[in-house]
Amino acid sequence: MDIKEKEHLEKTLKVIDKKIIESQEKLKNIGDKLKHEVSDLAENFHDKRSDLSSIYSNLAVIESLERDIAKESKRLNLQKDHPYFARIDFLPKNKKTAQKVYIGIGNLIEDNKLYVADWRAPISSMYYDFNLGPASFKIGTTEYSGELQLKRQYKIEDGQLISYFDTDMTINDEILQEILSHNVSVKMKQIVSTIQREQNIIVRKDKAENMLVQGVAGSGKTSIALHRAAYLLYKHRGQIKSNDILIISPNNIFSSYISEVLPQLGEDNLVETTFEQIARAELKRPIQSRENMLDEIASNPNQEMLNEISYKSSYEYLDSLLRFLKGSFLETFSPQNLSYVVYEDIDGNKETIDFPAEQTKNLFFKTFKGLDLYERINKIAWQYAMVFTEKRHYTKEQNKGLRDRFKKILYRFLPIRDVEKIHQIFMARENLKISKKSTINYMDKGTYLAIKYFLYGFDHDFSAKYLIIDEMQDFTPVDIYLFRKLWNCPCIVLGDVNQCIEKNVSDEYLQLTADFLGCKLVELNKTYRSTKEIAEFANNIIGLKGVEFVNRSGQEPILYKTQNQEETIKDIINSQCQDYDHIAIICKCNSEAKELYKKLSPILDCTMIEEPEDYNNRILITTCATAKGIEFDAVIIPNASRENYKNTIDKNILYVSSTRALHKLFFTTSDEPTHLLKNIYTKS
C-alpha cells in the first residue's frame, strides 16, 4: 500500500482530532458566555433603565453561533471514522502541476491547506461527472477546464485505510456492487460515495430550477432529493437552513426510515409532514389514511369505487371543481347596501359612510376578479376599513379590528358558507356518492381542502423556501393544485408512475403534471436496488421495458406451493435468509397481514409494522401500502394464489411488493398460483 496515502490519512486524522478539541473548547467558552448573558438578563429584567433588547439580541447571536459550532463538531466526529472516500488529481489548463483533491462529507482546512474537499464543492463535481481525460467545473459563471489525471476510491473504516484502487469509471462498478450487496440498515443511508452521474446532475441543479423526477423503483429518487437538500444547504448557507426545507412524506414510517440521511452528512433534518397531517390540521376532522384506502380496495374492490377513484384522480375533476367554485358558487355572493353613521349633531343631522351594494359587487366581481374568495373579501374589507381610517374615525391600530368586522359582514352575503355543505353540493352536481361518515375519505381530502382554501385560506403557515414532494403518483391533481397554491417556492417532485396501485397513470398525465407545476421532467431508468433477476422478474409482472440494471446477480425468485404456508415461511427464513438483517412478509391487505401474524407469531419471532419503531425488528409483517418506498434484504409474498391476485390492482400490488427486495424474493401459496407470476421457478 502506498506509504504516501497512509501518511496523508494520518495527517488528516490529526487535523480532525485537533479541530474536534478546538470545537469542544469553543463550545465550552460560548456556553459560559451564554450563561453570563442569561444571568445578566435575569438581573436586569426589572430595571427599566437597562437595554433588554440589546441583551436579547446578544443571546440570539450567541445561541446561533453555538448551534453552528455544535453542528461543525458533530460533522468532524462523523468524519473521523471516514475522513474521505475519493481523490481526484486535476491538472488545470496552462498549469504544470496537478491538484490533488480528497473528497469527503465536509471541508477540512488547516493552515490554508485543503486536506478534504466537501463532496458538494464545485471542484468535487468532477468526481461524479467525468472519467479520466478532459474535465471541468464551474464556480458561479466561471468555468475551469483541464485534465482529470487520476480517480482513486478508498475504503476507510474507523479511521483505518482498508484498501483503495484507481479507476477510469465515474463510480467503479466493483465498489458499487459491494455496497449494494450489503444488508439493509434500519435507516436509509447517505450515498455520497456512489452518486451516479445522472443523479449528480439532479443534485446540483440550480435552486430555482423546478424538477419532476420520474424514476423506476430503486433508482434512488428519495436519496437524490435528500442529497439535493444537503447540497442546497451547502451552496446557499446563510440564505437557507434545514428548517426552511419542507418534505411531504408518504407516511410516518417512511419519515422515520429516511431520518438519518442528513445527520449522516452533518446536516440537521428537514421539516417533515404528510398531506394527511396538513388536512387534519386544517379541517379538524379525522382523515382516512392512504394505507386504509388501499386496504379497502385490495380486500373488497368494486367497479363503482374504482371508477370514482379514476375520476377524482383526473385533471377533468380538478377543472370541474374550480369551475364550480369560481363560477356558480361565487355567483351566489349577493351584497347589500352598507351604511354607517359616523357623526350626528344635536339637530339630528347625520354624517354617514356608505358602501352601496353595486360598489361591493363591482369590487368582488371585477376589480378583484381572478382571486380566491377569501382574498377578495380580505381586500374589500381592508379597502372599506381604510375609508374610516382616512376620515380619522379610526386609528391605524383600530383598523385591524374594523377589517375583521367587515370580513364577517361580507361573508354573510354568501347564502352557504359551510365547507361540508359546499362539498355535498359539488358531489351532487358531479353525481358522486356523498359520504355520511365523520371521517373524510382519502380521495376527498384534497377537495375539502381546496374548498376551505378558496373560501377562507388556511389557518396554519406552511411556508418553506424549498419543497420536496415524494411519491408524486399517489397525489391527485386537486392535491397538486393545492401544492402550487400553498408553496410559491422552488421544488423537486419525485415519483414512479409504475408504482401506482389504484389507478393507471399515462406519460401524458406525467407531462401535464410537470407543466402544471412548472417543472422540468427528468427520467431515471436505471435501478440500483434489486438484483438483476429480481428486477427483471418484477418488471415482467407489469410489462415494463427499457429499465437498466446494475450488473449484480443473485438467486431467481421462487414460488413455493405448499399446504402449510406458515411452516414454509419459517423454513425459508431459517434456511435461506439466516444472514439477512431485514426480512419483510408483505401481504396484500391489512386483514390478511393480521391473520398471518396470528398464525406465524407462535412459531416465529416476527412483528407487525404499525409504528415507525416496529421497523427496527428483523422479521416484519406488513402490507404493500405500508412497505412502499422502503427496502428489505428479502421479501416473502404469501397467498400468491389465482383467487387472491387476479386483477390489475393485484398486479400492481405484486409489482410494488416485489421491488422492495434487494437480494431474495419468495412467494408462497396453498392453492393454484396466480397467472400474474409468469415463468417463475416453482417448488412443491
Side-chain angles (χ1 to χ4, degrees), residues 248-251 273-283 285-291 442 445 449 475:
I248 307 293
S249 292
N251 53 53
T273 188
T274 66
F275 198 42
E276 284 87 347
Q277 287 171 330
I278 291 173
R280 280 195 295 271
E282 286 298 322
L283 300 172
R285 285 177 59 182
I287 311 289
Q288 181 189 30
S289 69
R290 176 170 175 78
E291 288 75 15
Y442 175 84
K445 70 184 184 310
L449 281 171
F475 296 110

Side-chain angles (χ1 to χ4, degrees), residues 333 335 355-364 380 384 410 413:
F333 183 78
F355 303 107
E358 196 61 29
Q359 178 184 344
T360 305
K361 195 172 182 179
N362 283 334
L363 287 169
F364 190 87
I380 296 170
Y384 283 3
L410 292 166
F413 296 152

Side-chain angles (χ1 to χ4, degrees), residues 55 113 119 263 306 316 319 354-355 385 552 556 598:
I55 298 175
K113 180 178 178 181
W119 66 277
L306 296 177
E316 181 188 354
D319 186 56
D354 300 308
F355 303 107
R552 184 170 73 89
E556 292 281 354
K598 278 183 189 176

